Amino acid sequence: MAEATAPGTAIVGLGMVGFTREYTESADALAARALRLALEDSGLTKDDIDGLQINGDPFSRKGLSMELQGFLGLRDLRLLTQPEGYGSTATQMLQFASLAIRAGLASVVACVFADTPSGGDQRAFTGDMSRVPAGMAGLPMAYGLFGAPAAYAMACRRHMALYGTTSDHLASIAVSNRKWAVLNPFAVFKEPLGYEEYHASRWVVEPFHLVDCCMPVNGAIVVIVTSAERARDLRQPPVYILGMGQGHPGNPRRAGFECEVNTGAAIARDTCLDMAGIKVTDIDVCEFYDPFTYVTLVTLEDYGFCEKGEGGGFVSAGKLEPGGSLPTNTSGGQVSGYYMQGMTPISEAVIQARGQAGDRQAPKRDAILVTGSGGILDYHSCAIVSPHPSLR
């Protein structure tokens, strides 16, 4: 593979609102408030924005749409897209914003996520039979396999069968997440979690306890991306985007394929690291898309932090926790922090890279790995961000 060059862009604004189970306002209104905060954070104005990327939950009945431009009062945009890669979308938006800026299609791009899955007349997907696809594609649901928890649980079971992964290994991740969340004022869950509490929590679908699963909340996150040159003159320390990659292995859903334990991270990894000019051992902090604790474990393996099948031992050694050698999901992640899809890891990476995380600040932050994961481990995107314009 030819060595790729870094995109020469940076995140310069961050706006975060909501993070509650209570319904207070529409996704559009939350997005508008988050954009206002991101602009104040950056020192830019709404008139500076000439690119908008919109990420709304595809399963939400009242998520964001292209009409958000008008609601936000943005005029004369040179770039407007609504990409869809499920949980990998947010990190893909960073990539598309960087590429568009480098190509001259836009100069300042706002990447927006907002959703209101809880409260009001909204309800998260709970097995609506009207959404069962016809034909063979509907067989899993016809036999009772509904929703992400069951599908991810089956993937985790496969890992357990192949490599001896245990519930105690998953508990190590959940406990680590909660230790970080206790330190995070944005986190939804701040009560300490020990191994006894983990094993006593109710089952959702084995091997997942409730504390293995993310809890969707109402809220919005906006990040603003511009060129590295312009970033240096703005209000906040630039968070440079140094590498990026995608990996989509394709899952035919038939025997002979192990997509449940071999994800697109292994494909995206090399592109991203080569672009940033670093090795996996150079990464200081990981901010993973973690809708379930198992995703953290398999992602660590596929990036090469440990060998395939050794993730359980890796996480049980305390490496991910505060004070550990590889601080991971330092917001509490999506499981204990806040579930804003792929914007959860991005927002925390920005806070960490700026050195603004307070009590949960990682001691070293030169290279931060951010990931997004969509489908049932079907789609993957990633980025390396840093407070430095180059790590070469």
Side-chain angles (χ1 to χ4, degrees):
M1 180 188 301
E3 186 177 273
T5 57
T9 54
I11 300 168
V12 295
L14 172 65
M16 304 166 65
V17 298
F19 308 161
T20 174
R21 298 285 289 169
E22 300 299 320
Y23 182 88
T24 57
E25 55 192 321
S26 69
D28 284 345
L30 287 166
R33 286 208 289 132
L35 176 62
R36 189 179 307 117
L37 290 175
L39 288 169
E40 292 173 0
D41 184 59
S42 66
L44 295 165
T45 70
K46 190 163 62 174
D47 291 339
D48 291 311
I49 295 174
D50 58 2
L52 175 64
Q53 294 197 97
I54 303 165
N55 176 200
D57 187 340
F59 297 111
S60 174
R61 278 175 268 166
K62 292 185 178 179
L64 302 180
S65 69
M66 297 286 274
E67 284 71 30
L68 181 67
Q69 177 191 359
F71 189 90
L72 297 177
L74 297 175
R75 300 289 303 276
D76 301 324
L77 295 180
R78 297 194 293 148
L79 175 72
L80 174 61
T81 63
Q82 187 169 11
E84 182 50 76
Y86 297 97
S88 72
T89 305
T91 319
Q92 288 191 33
M93 288 200 301
L94 280 187
Q95 298 174 1
F96 298 150
S98 295
L99 294 171
I101 291 165
R102 185 169 180 176
L105 292 176
S107 60
V108 177
V109 180
C111 301
V112 180
F113 174 84
D115 194 23
T116 55
S118 177
D121 62 351
Q122 296 266 30
R123 180 172 294 179
F125 175 57
T126 55
D128 180 0
M129 289 298 294
S130 69
R131 300 179 65 172
V132 175
M136 295 293 289
L139 281 179
M141 289 185 178
Y143 281 93
L145 182 62
F146 282 98
Y152 276 94
M154 290 188 69
C156 186
R157 280 293 195 200
R158 183 58 177 158
H159 199 281
M160 289 175 156
L162 288 173
Y163 305 116
T165 305
T166 68
S167 290
D168 280 336
H169 294 145
L170 300 181
S172 296
I173 298 170
V175 169
S176 174
N177 283 353
R178 190 61 63 86
K179 287 181 178 179
W180 287 112
V182 168
L183 304 173
N184 183 5
F186 288 106
V188 176
F189 298 104
K190 296 188 178 69
E191 305 81 9
L193 176 72
Y195 284 83
E196 288 186 10
E197 290 86 358
Y198 171 88
H199 287 294
S201 67
R202 71 174 178 86
W203 293 108
V204 174
V205 52
E206 293 187 40
F208 293 153
H209 292 271
L210 181 64
V211 290
D212 286 302
C213 308
C214 67
M215 184 68 73
V217 293
N218 303 326
I221 296 177
V222 173
V223 295
I224 298 175
V225 183
T226 191
S227 67
E229 292 78 12
R230 189 168 187 176
R232 287 190 279 269
D233 298 325
L234 297 177
R235 183 169 293 162
Q236 292 288 350
V239 178
Y240 296 98
I241 301 168
L242 302 185
M244 50 197 189
Q246 294 187 26
H248 314 292
N251 189 350
R253 304 290 197 270
R254 62 176 185 265
F257 295 85
E258 293 286 357
C259 299
E260 297 80 8
V261 298
N262 298 289
T263 75
I267 302 169
R269 174 193 65 206
D270 293 339
T271 306
C272 187
L273 293 174
D274 286 349
M275 190 178 297
I278 64 173
K279 303 184 293 295
V280 70
T281 52
D282 296 319
I283 292 171
D284 302 312
V285 181
C286 293
E287 305 295 351
F288 290 154
Y289 186 97
D290 66 328
F292 304 93
T293 50
Y294 169 63
V295 178
T296 296
L297 187 148
V298 74
T299 304
L300 288 164
E301 292 180 347
D302 285 347
Y303 273 92
F305 291 103
C306 57
E307 295 297 323
K308 178 60 65 178
E310 295 181 1
F314 187 88
V315 300
S316 63
K319 296 177 185 290
L320 314 187
E321 300 180 359
S325 59
L326 187 67
T328 296
N329 291 341
T330 54
S331 66
Q334 297 169 329
V335 171
S336 280
Y338 47 91
Y339 181 69
M340 287 280 100
Q341 283 206 15
M343 280 296 195
T344 299
I346 291 172
S347 58
E348 180 65 10
V350 172
I351 293 168
Q352 287 287 337
R354 289 177 173 179
Q356 298 172 350
D359 291 341
R360 69 184 191 281
Q361 181 63 54
K364 196 168 184 292
R365 54 191 171 92
D366 295 333
I368 302 175
L369 172 62
V370 183
T371 73
S373 178
I376 310 300
L377 303 170
D378 296 315
Y379 318 111
H380 191 89
S381 59
C382 63
I384 300 287
V385 301
S386 174
H388 309 297
S390 176
L391 297 174
R392 294 179 184 274

